[in-house]
């Protein structure tokens, strides 16, 4: 194992941890970059901005019930709900028989009421009629916001509108990657409408929505089967398998320890611009290696035949041991000086 930390003061190559030399070598060959939206393209700190209820349900009651469920979850959306409950000084009740359905939602019993909370797919699977708030939900999704539904005893009670702002640097980084000929693919658990808004904003051409945790690895395998060299950017526990499957796994330094351990490259600042740094560094390093090989071979290609006497029959010239020693030293000095130029990149 080999770790290379690229951190050169205030220079351009700052905040990139390359854990494996192989990753640096392969990165220049990458033609497809897969990015999971949450925490990579967005800030990863979603906030609950609005609750819309139906019938006689109050915002305070549904928030209290939501907090009772989500206190058991580690999902970022759950944290957004808990933060809102804390800000509103909501008394959090006790949930029993808590169950998580990956990529769909959660359910539990609170005060003997069955509470179901999750996305549209979860409502459909639970046979909950969500049509009363479909128009409101679609309007928010068309703005790029995430919508969670809540049902109480099989009756739709409310929708929760959650926003996760796009990182300021994401669009610039993606445009720069595309100019380098790299295809960018966005993965997200959001539905197609919400996902497309984010993709359009960031000018991402390929988006795969409604992605479940176990889908990520399969998507990477599918891209690889089509001949693509794939790098995967992720930050969560659920990204670890896909990061390992990708030709190069890239983790955000602000993400989970498991994701960082699974990746070959870590962006310490949690900024996509670090990928550009790593990509340019890979190209510069491989170019420098090829130049060094040229310097090493050219001295030997010229010096060895002369030392062997190839010119002696014609000119009587033999290579002096002193000149040979100087040539070998100059070869080493040339390689070292050329390698040091990387610090100027």
């Amino acid at each position: 194992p080999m770790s290379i930390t690229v951190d050169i003061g205030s220079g351009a190559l700052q905040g990139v941890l390359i854990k494996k030399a192989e990753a640096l070598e392969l990165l220049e060959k990458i033609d497809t970059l897969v990015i999971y939206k949450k925490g990579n393209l967005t800030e990863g700190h979603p906030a609950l901005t609005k609750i819309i209820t139906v019938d006689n349900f109050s915002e305070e009651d549904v928030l209290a019930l939501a907090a009772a469920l989500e206190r058991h979850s580690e999902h970022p959306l759950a944290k957004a709900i808990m933060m809102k409950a804390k800000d509103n000084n909501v008394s959090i009740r006790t949930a029993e028989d808590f169950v998580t359905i990956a990529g769909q939602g959660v359910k539990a019993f609170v005060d003997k009421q069955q509470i179901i909370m999750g996305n549209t797919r979860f409502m459909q699977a639970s046979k909950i009629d969500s049509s009363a708030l479909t128009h409101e939900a679609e309007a928010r999704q068309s703005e790029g916001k995430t919508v969670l539904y809540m049902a109480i005893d099989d009756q739709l009670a409310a929708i929760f509108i959650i926003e996760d702002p796009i990182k300021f640097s994401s669009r610039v980084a993606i445009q720069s990657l595309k100019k380098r000929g790299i295809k960018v693919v966005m993965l997200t658990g959001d539905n197609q409408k919400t996902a497309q808004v984010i993709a359009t904003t960031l000018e991402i051409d390929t988006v795969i929505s409604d992605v479940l945790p176990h889908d990520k690895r399969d998507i990477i395998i599918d891209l690889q089967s089509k001949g693509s060299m794939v790098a995967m950017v992720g930050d969560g526990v659920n990204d670890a398998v896909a990061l390992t499957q990708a030709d190069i796994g890239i983790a955000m330094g602000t993400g989970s320890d498991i994701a960082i351990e699974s990746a070959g490259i870590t962006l310490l600042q949690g900024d996509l611009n670090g990928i550009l740094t790593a990509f340019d560094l890979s190209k510069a390093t491989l170019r420098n290696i090829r130049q060094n090989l040229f310097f090493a071979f050219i001295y030997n290609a010229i010096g060895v035949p002369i030392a062997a006497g190839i010119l002696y029959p014609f000119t009587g010239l033999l290579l002096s041991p002193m000149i040979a020693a100087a040539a070998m030293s100059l070869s080493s000095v040339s390689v070292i000086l050329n390698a040091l130029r990387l610090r100027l990149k």
Side-chain angles (χ1 to χ4, degrees):
M2 178 180 182
S3 294
I4 305 171
T5 303
V6 183
D7 192 350
I8 307 176
S10 60
L13 303 179
Q14 186 172 10
V16 180
L17 173 65
I18 301 171
K19 296 165 60 180
K20 302 175 183 177
E22 181 186 12
L24 189 63
E25 180 181 354
L26 289 176
L27 191 58
E28 74 156 359
K29 302 175 183 177
I30 292 299
D31 55 35
T32 302
L33 181 68
V34 176
I35 308 176
Y36 193 70
K37 187 200 77 173
K38 178 191 68 64
N40 303 309
L41 296 173
T42 62
E43 295 289 351
H45 303 294
L48 175 59
T49 57
K50 189 173 182 62
I51 300 173
I52 301 174
T53 63
V54 297
D55 297 332
N56 297 321
F57 296 105
S58 69
E59 288 189 27
E60 184 177 350
D61 286 341
V62 297
L63 179 58
L65 292 170
L69 266 68
E70 301 296 0
R71 71 186 301 182
H72 299 282
S73 175
E74 294 297 324
H75 197 282
L77 299 184
K79 295 179 181 179
I81 291 172
M82 293 304 298
M83 183 62 69
K84 186 69 171 180
K86 181 180 179 181
D87 291 344
N88 289 11
N89 297 316
V90 171
S91 177
I92 302 176
R93 309 174 199 179
T94 301
E96 299 176 345
D97 300 327
F98 177 83
V99 177
T100 298
I101 293 81
Q104 296 190 39
V106 295
K107 61 181 180 180
F109 285 90
V110 180
D111 297 336
K112 298 182 179 181
Q113 295 177 300
Q114 185 184 48
I115 312 300
I116 298 175
M117 192 166 186
N119 56 25
T120 306
R121 181 185 300 175
F122 196 26
M123 294 298 110
Q124 293 172 346
S126 303
K127 298 181 179 179
I128 305 296
D129 180 9
S130 59
S131 59
L133 291 176
T134 297
H135 178 73
E136 290 283 359
E138 290 181 348
R140 298 311 189 280
Q141 288 166 345
S142 66
E143 298 170 355
K145 300 173 183 177
T146 300
V147 176
L148 292 181
Y149 293 82
M150 172 186 278
I152 301 175
D153 289 334
D154 297 330
Q155 180 182 353
L156 182 68
I159 56 174
F160 292 69
I161 314 301
I162 299 175
E163 296 184 51
D164 189 3
I166 296 174
K167 288 182 180 179
F168 177 77
S169 60
S170 292
R171 183 171 180 176
V172 174
I174 287 168
Q175 292 306 304
S176 297
L177 287 165
K178 291 170 69 175
K179 288 178 180 178
R180 286 166 168 79
I182 298 175
K183 176 183 177 182
V184 180
V185 179
M186 185 183 87
L187 305 185
T188 177
D190 291 331
N191 63 27
Q192 178 63 31
K193 183 171 291 187
T194 301
Q196 194 57 56
V197 172
I198 301 298
T200 300
T201 301
L202 294 173
E203 298 185 30
I204 296 175
D205 299 323
T206 305
V207 55
I208 303 175
S209 58
D210 294 311
V211 174
L212 298 176
H214 63 267
D215 292 335
K216 299 174 186 177
R217 178 175 178 270
D218 294 338
I219 292 168
I220 299 296
I221 292 174
D222 181 61
L223 290 169
Q224 290 172 328
S225 69
K226 297 175 181 177
S228 297
M229 284 286 290
V230 182
M232 165 77 180
V233 181
D235 70 339
V237 173
N238 291 330
D239 297 328
V241 176
L243 288 171
T244 303
Q245 176 62 45
D247 296 290
I248 298 177
I250 303 174
M252 291 294 187
T254 53
S256 68
D257 291 341
I258 294 177
I260 293 172
E261 185 64 28
S262 301
I265 296 175
T266 300
L267 309 180
L268 302 179
Q269 306 300 325
D271 189 334
L272 283 181
N273 283 305
I275 298 176
L276 302 175
T277 297
F279 186 77
D280 291 342
L281 175 62
S282 174
K283 283 189 171 295
T285 300
L286 270 293
R287 183 170 60 249
N288 193 279
I289 289 173
R290 295 182 187 108
Q291 292 168 349
N292 288 344
L293 287 172
F294 172 79
F295 286 134
F297 283 123
I298 196 67
Y299 282 109
N300 286 283
I302 296 174
V304 171
I306 295 176
I310 192 173
L311 297 179
Y312 185 75
F314 309 104
T315 65
L317 179 65
L318 288 173
L319 190 64
S320 164
M322 294 181 63
I323 296 176
M328 289 301 296
S329 298
L330 184 60
S331 172
S332 298
V333 170
S334 299
V335 168
I336 292 171
L337 290 176
N338 189 50
L340 289 174
R341 289 192 309 110
L342 281 174
R343 294 181 61 88
L344 304 177
K345 297 293 182 180

